[in-house]
Amino acid sequence: MALLQISEPGKSTMPHEHRLAVGIDLGTTNSLIASVVSGEVSILEQGNEEHLLPSVVHYSSSNPIVGSEAKNLQIEDPKNTISSVKRLIGKNLSDIDTKFYSLDLKDDDGVIGIQTDQGIKNPIEVSSDILKKLKETAEESLGNELYGAVITVPAYFDDAQRQATKDSAKLAGINVLRLINEPTAAAVAYGLDQNKEGNFVIFDLGGGTFDVSILNLSKGIFEVQATHGDANLGGDDYDQVVFEWLCKSNKINVADSKIKQKLFALSREIKEALTNKDSIKINEAIDEKINIQCELSQQEFEKITKELTKKTISSTLHALRDAELSVSQIQGVVMVGGSTRMPCIQNAVKEFFKQPLLNNLNPDEVVALGAAQQANILAGNTNDNLLLLDVIPLSLGIETMGEIVERIIPRNSTLPVSLGQEFTTYKDGQTAMIIHVVQGERDLVKDCRSLAKFTLKGIPPLVAGAAKILVTFQVDADGLLSVSAKEQSTGIQSKIEVKPSYGLSDEKIKKMLEDSFNLANEDKESRALSEVKIEGSQLLEMIKNAINEDSDLLKEKELNLLQETLGKLKKSLESSDRNHIEELTKQLNENSQSFAAKRMDRSIHKALTGKSINSLEL
Amino acid sequence: MQFNIDLNRLQKSYRIIQAEIHPDKFVSASQIEKNQSLIKSTEVNDAYQTLKNPIKRARYLIKINLNSEENNSTLPPSFLMQQMEWEEHLESILEQKSELEKFRLLIDGEYKKNLSSLERVCDKDKNWDGALGILNEIQFIDKLNDKIIQQINLIETK
């Protein structure tokens, strides 16, 4: 006999099901996917027992090739083989240094376009192809449909880079549970693994990005105190220095992109070989004419890359100062990212913190492992009590007169955060204004990163200075910004999603999505109807439960109104009238806003009084 | 409410509340709950920052006690003189890291001195106009401190 399942009040009425949730480390050089399976977190294999999927995509036939196979085609066919796409995402052509690429890069309607035999690809599409491959791996090896993913981004990624990463996940058909910062994910892996308490530094040097975060860990709460970094500093830069050294010491002038690729690959091999050797002799024929013969010692390598290492240490110092902590107040230093294997980095960090480093977890895997643990928690698969309180890495500001930046949200503010700022008109009868949002720490607009310009229309025509426009900047838990504006005297509200000036528009994303699904029209309609029905019935259940628990928070009139809308929605759900269901869902949403707010207050109150008995012991 | 508060207890309460309402707790919830969680969690962060930072806390206390946001008090001439002196000194040592570090310690001492007067004026004397005067001075000192740190950071990243 089947047992009748009765859910706890307030919890979902659905029987408990394990949702397939994964953590994805979308890296510059390699990507990884991990999941918690029967209580154990592990990296999912990419076939051939490989843990790492090279972040390389090859476009020469209609189906993109992703991973090792693509990487093997890099030297042979550099124009169609895209690697390190993470360095391009969320940027435009003028932001990047084309010397790193043997690709045909062009401007494609504000975003970077890469010319391949399969047409122009933008970085969002390329990332999305990597994500699709990872998703397939997960679904194949775990034999279930993916519920959602936590995707990691460098802590120092700005709004445009975060938005582009989220867009590429959307394009790959992945439900993003949360974007989390790579160092924070690493801290989760270490913290959960070893039950650590105190102030920890996460030093994360990857293939193309550098982050340093300082966290306070206490009983399952991970509070980021400060973060700093460089979104364009990583192992690739060390390769570049070795490449330049090779060219200089062998007097080579490289023009050919195949030779450039070969020399890059050789430079990387040399760097990696120096991880456990004091010196390395190179004797290699690149082609008929070029033969490389030289020797590089650890000492010399340390010397030629000194400036790069110095940058990481000064970032670290910067973060410590922002966190108002000194070296002696740090309980542990965690090393993350493949590039922290370099002895010169290990030594520099050890010397700076005057303590041994924590590197017992594989530095390549720790970010994905932490992300998977967080994904498992967010999907509701476990009762582990864990809370990540992360920060915004770079200050947000707006342009004012004279191209000066007025700071709105300071860096290292805990997320979510919002701030309102009042603006006024400077001309009589002015009905529109442009607000330019920038991100960065410098005082001049030209030295910061331009995120978006948006126009505020519909201001009532008044004398100069009379209109009062309140603009609210909200940064959510993913670190993504949205902006809304309200004219105070008339209450006109306009909600504007801030799209990066050079990102993809919503329409373009939608079109790319539709193209990728290639659905027939009736499929689209039935898909849309079922989505609307799911949303409507979820809301219905939620409100019903809420009324059962907290109906005393409602006045009789409010309760009646809710009950009435509930009844209507319930009835409409039996029909196939999509617009009607949508309309009633929207109505119920609006009618229950204040009820939801009151319930949230009650739960805060309960939590505080409940805990005060134990004198606020966490 | 007092100026001098138990920061430990503040942090604990903050964490208890966030553990209850943070958007991470509502990832699979309905849209209204998500919205409410975002709004409340943002408010709680704002409240925590206001109470945690002594300057923001003082500003808030003065605002609710004076019942106004107006700030008409002017800095005394002696402080204005001091201000100019400090600014000039900073200009003269912009490129000297060790001098900047030394100057920072001095300014930090001034900051702490003002902070204890602020505590006395707020909690003992309940002299809100007096508190406003000290607040104006300490805000200047805090900004100067930021400038010094920014300059040190700039030298280090060069």
Side-chain angles (χ1 to χ4, degrees):
Chain A
M1 190 188 80
L3 288 173
L4 198 62
Q5 280 179 311
I6 300 172
S7 67
E8 201 182 318
K11 299 283 183 286
S12 156
T13 50
M14 302 281 275
H16 185 80
E17 44 169 342
H18 184 87
R19 292 163 166 158
L20 176 51
V22 294
I24 295 176
D25 175 2
L26 188 59
T28 310
T29 324
N30 295 298
S31 296
L32 293 96
I33 184 164
S35 189
V36 177
V37 183
S38 8
E40 285 288 320
V41 63
S42 62
I43 302 284
L44 304 178
E45 285 176 8
Q46 309 289 336
N48 336 327
E49 295 174 18
E50 287 290 331
H51 278 183
L52 302 173
L53 177 76
S55 304
V56 186
V57 188
H58 177 78
Y59 296 98
S60 63
S61 59
S62 58
N63 280 333
I65 299 170
V66 183
S68 313
E69 215 182 312
K71 193 180 173 185
N72 293 338
L73 294 164
Q74 181 110 53
I75 289 174
E76 196 180 306
D77 188 3
K79 292 262 179 253
N80 285 317
T81 312
I82 303 170
S83 60
S84 297
V85 71
K86 195 175 184 178
R87 282 187 179 251
L88 302 177
I89 204 160
K91 294 191 178 169
N92 65 10
L93 206 54
S94 63
D95 295 327
I96 57 152
D97 193 346
T98 44
K99 79 174 172 200
F100 277 110
Y101 299 91
S102 22
L103 297 165
D104 185 6
L105 301 175
K106 48 188 62 176
D107 179 67
D108 177 26
D109 210 5
V111 296
I112 293 170
I114 306 154
Q115 183 71 54
T116 72
D117 288 352
Q118 291 300 305
I120 296 177
K121 299 285 168 188
N122 65 51
I124 293 180
E125 289 173 284
V126 181
S127 290
S128 138
D129 282 326
I130 299 169
L131 288 169
K132 270 183 205 156
K133 173 86 180 171
L134 293 167
K135 182 178 177 235
E136 274 168 31
T137 306
E139 291 181 341
E140 269 167 34
S141 68
L142 300 171
N144 202 347
E145 202 183 319
L146 190 62
Y147 169 72
V150 165
I151 299 178
T152 61
V153 289
Y156 224 52
F157 253 22
D158 64 29
D159 187 73
Q161 292 165 304
R162 283 168 200 268
Q163 186 64 56
T165 304
K166 202 171 177 182
D167 286 344
S168 59
K170 231 190 271 173
L171 195 59
I174 295 174
N175 168 27
V176 181
L177 300 172
R178 186 70 75 226
L179 294 180
I180 68 172
N181 291 329
E182 287 159 8
T184 312
V188 170
Y190 267 91
L192 287 185
D193 193 45
Q194 311 183 346
N195 248 328
K196 297 242 183 264
E197 302 262 320
N199 296 317
F200 287 80
V201 172
I202 316 291
F203 186 99
D204 181 358
L205 188 63
T209 57
F210 170 66
D211 284 323
V212 55
S213 284
I214 298 168
L215 288 97
N216 179 267
L217 270 62
S218 168
K219 305 195 166 75
I221 305 237
F222 293 62
E223 199 179 330
V224 179
Q225 308 291 311
T227 194
H228 203 269
D230 189 332
N232 286 303
L233 175 64
D236 290 358
D237 298 278
Y238 285 79
D239 299 347
Q240 174 74 21
V241 170
V242 175
F243 167 81
E244 279 161 13
W245 176 85
L246 270 180
C247 292
K248 205 175 146 201
S249 53
N250 288 277
K251 300 192 177 62
I252 314 168
N253 204 352
V254 197
D256 182 74
S257 69
K258 271 192 193 175
I259 292 182
K260 205 171 162 184
Q261 280 298 334
K262 275 192 186 169
L263 284 172
F264 263 136
L266 179 64
S267 305
R268 176 167 299 181
E269 276 170 37
I270 294 170
K271 176 193 76 180
E272 283 169 3
L274 280 172
T275 300
N276 42 31
K277 283 203 183 91
D278 284 338
S279 184
I280 180 163
K281 282 201 176 89
I282 307 125
N283 189 355
E284 194 156 321
I286 301 292
D287 66 0
E288 300 86 48
K289 280 184 233 151
I290 306 172
N291 191 35
I292 299 230
Q293 238 176 351
C294 52
E295 186 173 355
L296 184 60
S297 68
Q298 184 66 251
Q299 220 177 358
E300 179 69 11
F301 176 72
E302 197 165 327
K303 211 173 106 193
I304 60 175
T305 58
K306 206 177 85 195
E307 285 306 311
L308 297 173
T309 308
K310 208 177 130 195
K311 270 192 194 173
T312 67
I313 297 298
S314 75
S315 265
T316 307
L317 196 63
H318 206 306
L320 270 177
R321 217 174 267 139
D322 277 353
E324 293 175 18
L325 290 170
S326 62
V327 165
S328 62
Q329 290 168 291
I330 299 299
Q331 272 74 40
V333 182
V334 177
M335 299 298 270
V336 183
S339 303
T340 57
R341 289 199 176 91
M342 287 188 281
C344 60
I345 289 286
Q346 297 262 343
N347 294 337
V349 179
K350 223 182 288 175
E351 194 183 315
F352 181 79
F353 284 104
K354 309 208 170 9
Q355 58 177 296
L357 309 172
L358 295 166
N359 46 16
N360 48 321
L361 293 179
N362 182 334
D364 288 321
E365 297 181 351
V366 59
V367 168
L369 293 173
Q373 283 162 312
Q374 176 68 349
N376 197 47
I377 292 167
L378 294 182
N381 289 335
T382 160
N383 289 326
D384 277 356
N385 247 335
L386 171 89
L387 186 64
L388 305 185
L389 296 165
D390 220 316
V391 300
I392 179 170
L394 297 155
S395 303
L396 281 176
I398 45 172
E399 176 175 347
T400 58
M401 294 288 210
E403 297 185 3
I404 302 283
V405 178
E406 160 108 16
R407 215 142 283 154
I408 301 274
I409 296 177
R411 69 167 184 274
N412 293 323
S413 300
T414 307
L415 298 175
V417 62
S418 115
L419 228 111
Q421 176 88 15
E422 220 169 60
F423 293 89
T424 189
T425 47
Y426 74 105
K427 262 199 227 151
D428 287 349
Q430 186 180 343
T431 58
M433 62 170 61
I434 289 175
I435 293 175
H436 183 197
V437 182
V438 298
Q439 194 159 20
E441 309 310 320
R442 309 285 295 275
D443 291 333
L444 294 179
V445 170
K446 67 173 172 59
D447 298 326
C448 289
R449 181 155 183 69
S450 164
L451 285 181
K453 281 184 183 160
F454 67 95
T455 313
L456 184 59
K457 283 183 189 152
I459 302 168
L462 301 167
V463 288
K468 285 197 165 54
I469 300 128
L470 181 70
V471 178
T472 307
F473 300 82
Q474 169 84 57
V475 183
D476 67 12
D478 287 325
L480 295 174
L481 170 71
S482 65
V483 175
S484 59
K486 198 176 182 182
E487 205 289 307
Q488 301 283 66
S489 55
T490 56
I492 294 167
Q493 172 111 21
S494 64
K495 173 105 184 167
I496 307 122
E497 279 276 311
V498 177
K499 272 281 165 185
S501 316
Y502 36 72
L504 296 178
S505 66
D506 279 342
E507 291 79 53
K508 190 155 181 188
I509 297 264
K510 210 175 147 198
K511 188 162 177 306
M512 280 160 61
L513 253 178
E514 279 170 1
D515 289 350
S516 72
F517 284 125
N518 227 344
L519 295 173
N521 268 337
E522 57 254 53
D523 282 349
K524 273 185 201 159
E525 176 54 35
S526 75
R527 215 182 132 107
L529 177 65
S530 90
E531 272 171 18
V532 167
K533 277 195 174 180
I534 291 172
E535 203 196 324
S537 47
Q538 274 178 348
L539 182 68
L540 193 90
E541 275 307 312
M542 192 301 266
I543 304 281
K544 261 169 57 188
N545 285 328
I547 292 178
N548 277 340
E549 272 178 59
D550 295 315
S551 64
D552 60 311
L553 290 172
L554 291 162
K555 294 200 186 86
E556 203 183 328
K557 232 171 102 185
E558 292 169 320
L559 181 62
N560 288 342
L561 181 67
L562 273 183
Q563 296 280 25
E564 193 190 321
T565 328
L566 272 178
K568 279 191 205 160
L569 178 63
K570 197 175 172 196
K571 216 170 150 212
S572 78
L573 283 170
E574 288 157 18
S575 75
S576 298
D577 188 345
R578 179 157 68 96
N579 290 338
H580 192 52
I581 300 174
E582 233 173 347
E583 179 56 37
L584 286 168
T585 307
K586 201 177 145 207
Q587 214 177 342
L588 186 58
N589 247 320
E590 278 163 17
N591 291 346
S592 54
Q593 228 27 277
S594 75
F595 182 35
K598 281 184 198 153
R599 294 190 72 221
M600 202 73 74
D601 287 340
R602 173 172 276 183
S603 77
I604 293 175
H605 190 72
K606 265 191 197 158
L608 278 178
T609 47
K611 296 279 160 72
S612 68
I613 300 168
N614 308 321
S615 63
L616 291 175
E617 276 308 322
L618 258 175
Chain B
M1 194 186 113
Q2 278 206 320
F3 176 73
N4 188 13
I5 57 169
D6 179 350
L7 285 170
N8 215 356
R9 193 164 162 212
L10 174 73
Q11 188 191 46
K12 279 181 179 171
S13 309
Y14 165 70
R15 289 177 169 185
I16 288 169
I17 297 173
Q18 283 295 17
E20 207 57 36
I21 60 161
H22 191 273
D24 279 1
K25 304 286 164 184
F26 295 88
V27 168
S28 311
S30 68
Q31 200 54 48
I32 349 178
E33 287 170 300
K34 280 186 185 168
N35 287 347
Q36 284 303 327
S37 144
L38 178 64
I39 294 167
K40 295 283 173 191
S41 181
T42 303
E43 276 175 12
V44 170
N45 275 335
D46 184 29
Y48 181 50
Q49 290 310 321
T50 304
L51 295 176
K52 195 170 83 170
N53 178 303
I55 293 183
K56 288 185 184 167
R57 185 165 68 238
R59 202 185 298 148
Y60 177 72
L61 259 184
I62 293 167
K63 188 181 117 186
I64 54 175
N65 280 293
L66 281 181
N67 227 338
S68 119
E69 285 200 61
E70 302 248 325
N71 186 347
N72 297 323
S73 75
T74 46
L75 290 163
S78 59
F79 187 76
L80 288 174
M81 287 298 288
Q82 177 70 78
Q83 219 174 338
M84 270 159 62
E85 231 172 77
W86 281 335
E87 295 271 16
E88 276 166 19
H89 182 61
L90 178 59
E91 282 300 315
S92 70
I93 57 165
L94 280 182
E95 301 301 323
Q96 304 162 45
K97 202 180 147 197
S98 62
E99 283 299 315
L100 285 167
E101 298 276 13
K102 237 192 264 169
F103 189 40
R104 197 185 150 210
L105 280 180
L106 175 95
I107 294 300
D108 195 49
E110 288 294 323
Y111 178 85
K112 287 185 177 129
K113 216 164 72 191
N114 273 279
L115 212 57
S116 54
S117 347
L118 202 53
E119 188 183 324
R120 190 192 63 238
V121 176
C122 287
D123 292 349
K124 241 174 142 186
D125 309 347
K126 312 266 179 223
N127 172 1
W128 304 110
D129 287 308
L132 193 56
I134 302 169
L135 178 68
N136 285 334
E137 293 191 14
I138 203 171
Q139 275 176 336
F140 171 81
I141 292 168
D142 192 46
K143 274 194 191 132
L144 186 64
N145 189 39
D146 280 350
K147 271 193 214 164
I148 301 170
I149 290 177
Q150 209 182 350
Q151 199 52 41
I152 296 173
N153 285 337
L154 213 65
I155 292 177
E156 269 164 9
T157 39
K158 260 182 197 164

